[in-house]
Amino acid sequence: MNRKTAYLGLYCGAAILLSYVEGLIPVFTAIPGMKLGLPNLAVVTALYFYSWREAALVSVVRIAVVGLLFGNLFSVCFSLAGGLLSLLLMALVKWTGLLDCTGVSMVGALGHNVGQIAAAVLLVENVRVAYYFLPLAITGLAAGVAIGLLSGMMLRRLERLVPGWKQRDQ
């Protein structure tokens, strides 16, 4: 249990650090809120290394800490809506076994976009913000592929470093 707590702390710290680094990278687009999704590297990896519960913990801790340090109430609402829907969809798709890590990440990216657009429609009270979905979905899928490939590489390395992790009772 102590080892698991330490690893989850590392996942949370990595997600927070990746959020910070992502904020330093300029993204020149006309679409507000478009990001690379770097923190999802920690969430997807936690989903595969542990389960949806631990991945949810990493995601919520990251959203809360980054929201308190660098954001505002609106950014926390958008992040929570996107992050929780994304995680739910990724956990369901992973559970079916139909897609690999990259496919799961892509579904998560689309889910994140849907969650954020839904939150924007509710908070702004204007359905026209849904026009942002198509460009967000296109860039989100590209980011989902990149995060999924990187997560797969990390998981293969973790498997070598922590033998038998797939067979553990989670």
Side-chain angles (χ1 to χ4, degrees):
M1 187 61 159
N2 289 336
R3 177 178 281 183
K4 182 178 178 180
T5 302
Y7 278 127
L8 288 174
L10 288 172
Y11 277 110
C12 290
I16 292 164
L17 181 62
L18 288 169
S19 286
Y20 177 73
V21 168
E22 183 177 68
L24 297 175
I25 300 171
V27 180
F28 302 107
T29 65
I31 309 298
M34 189 177 287
K35 294 183 180 178
L36 300 173
L38 294 178
N40 292 325
L41 184 59
V43 175
V44 172
T45 307
L47 177 64
Y48 275 86
F49 195 75
Y50 289 109
S51 74
W52 68 269
R53 288 177 187 89
E54 289 82 4
L57 175 73
V58 170
S59 185
V60 170
V61 165
R62 191 245 342 149
I63 290 167
V65 170
V66 170
L68 286 171
L69 292 176
F70 310 114
N72 56 44
L73 186 58
F74 285 110
S75 66
V76 171
C77 289
F78 289 130
S79 292
L80 272 176
L84 294 178
L85 182 60
S86 170
L87 184 63
L88 173 69
L89 294 175
M90 286 192 300
L92 287 172
V93 171
K94 178 185 173 274
W95 177 75
T96 66
L98 295 175
L99 297 175
D100 65 354
C101 190
T102 302
V104 168
S105 178
M106 291 171 67
V107 168
L110 281 178
H112 198 278
N113 294 145
V114 169
Q116 285 190 319
I117 291 293
V121 167
L122 291 173
L123 289 172
V124 177
E125 296 179 355
N126 189 339
V127 76
R128 290 184 184 172
V129 295
Y131 291 124
Y132 287 127
F133 179 72
L134 184 59
L136 283 176
I138 292 168
T139 57
L141 284 172
V145 169
I147 297 300
L149 291 172
L150 287 170
S151 295
M153 289 173 19
M154 284 184 59
L155 289 165
R156 285 189 292 281
R157 290 181 188 211
L158 282 170
E159 189 173 3
R160 285 190 300 235
L161 292 172
V162 186
W165 71 267
K166 285 185 179 179
Q167 291 77 32
R168 288 184 314 189
D169 181 38
Q170 298 183 19

